[in-house]
Amino acid sequence: MKVIKVLNEKEVGKVAGDLILSAIQSNSSSILGLATGSTPESTYEYLIEDFKKNKTDWSKVKTFNLDEYVGLSPDHKKSYRYFMNDKLFHKINIDIKNTHVPDGLKIENPEDYDKLISKNGGIDLQLLGIGTNGHIGFNEPGTSFDSLTSVVDLTAETIEVNSRFFESALEVPKKAVSMGLTSIMNARKIVLIAIGKNKAEAIKQLINGNISINWPCTILQNHKDVTVIIDEEAASLI
Ligand code: GLP
């Protein structure tokens, strides 16, 4: 696992953004796995700036997002599909048909998402955030390392932390459809980003903890190509 410590959020976005851009430069048909939440916002801002300045061509890139809230339609303002359209897809020249976010309303056969990813050749680079409890995607503590895309229950902690995006904790969906830990481990390269003191314990577990389902992120210790990009606060316990 390669760990890159930088000064601040903007630098996290630059370093992660440059890794994504170099994947696209080496293969214009790259398959990217993308994440939502506050952390990737500086990465997406960097990619949009690059697009304005350097006209990086996204027309053949395909993307697969990690997760979506169950019960929110793609046009719901708090859905992850809406977030991705708003924060990235509508601001670059990606073909929206090449972008995939699990559908929070059609949850009958969630493993079809993994089949679609492998039919397209598998993920070249997976961008990940991390929850304060070590979740990746929405794979909460206790999730089997064998998991594929499935409907999952969110913990009270995650609902509370994510309530900042909603009017109140009561409005946060209690379930999500998430790529599983095996789905994530299948990516050829993983880039995990974290910002802020509230991620320091999860980062400590990710890097130095015993591999355990109690900290889902620790499965990444078994992956051969992981780059962790963190600011000083997220790095404060390592
Ligand atoms: C959310 C998402 C994760 C994300 C994490 C951290 O619940 N499902 O994919 O990495 O929590 O979010 P944030 O970046 O807002 O701290």
Side-chain angles (χ1 to χ4, degrees), residues 36-39 66-67 80 129-131 135 137-138 158 162 164-165 199:
T36 49
S38 318
T39 315
L66 282 167
D67 45 19
Y80 284 166
I130 189 167
H135 74 232
F138 264 133
T158 297
N162 285 5
R164 70 190 191 281
F165 295 109
K199 300 293 172 68

Side-chain angles (χ1 to χ4, degrees), residues 37-51:
S38 318
T39 315
E41 288 201 39
S42 63
T43 304
Y44 297 152
E45 281 161 18
Y46 183 80
L47 294 172
I48 292 163
E49 275 311 300
D50 163 80
F51 179 70

Side-chain angles (χ1 to χ4, degrees), residues 100-111:
H100 304 272
V101 180
D103 191 327
L105 298 182
K106 294 187 196 131
I107 53 168
E108 295 75 27
N109 298 300
E111 336 70 56

Side-chain angles (χ1 to χ4, degrees), residues 52-89:
K52 283 188 198 148
K53 273 195 240 144
N54 305 319
K55 294 274 166 283
T56 296
D57 183 15
W58 288 76
S59 61
K60 290 197 256 160
V61 172
K62 291 184 183 164
T63 66
F64 288 88
N65 260 78
L66 282 167
D67 45 19
E68 179 60 283
Y69 288 113
V70 167
L72 300 194
S73 66
D75 58 1
H76 190 291
K77 286 206 162 158
K78 307 294 179 185
S79 74
Y80 284 166
R81 162 53 82 178
Y82 189 95
F83 174 101
M84 289 308 302
N85 287 351
D86 184 45
K87 304 282 184 196
L88 183 65
F89 298 152

Side-chain angles (χ1 to χ4, degrees), residues 8-24:
N8 54 37
E9 178 169 9
K10 198 164 177 211
E11 286 293 304
V12 170
K14 177 183 171 358
V15 177
D18 279 336
L19 289 174
I20 291 172
L21 291 173
S22 75
I24 298 173

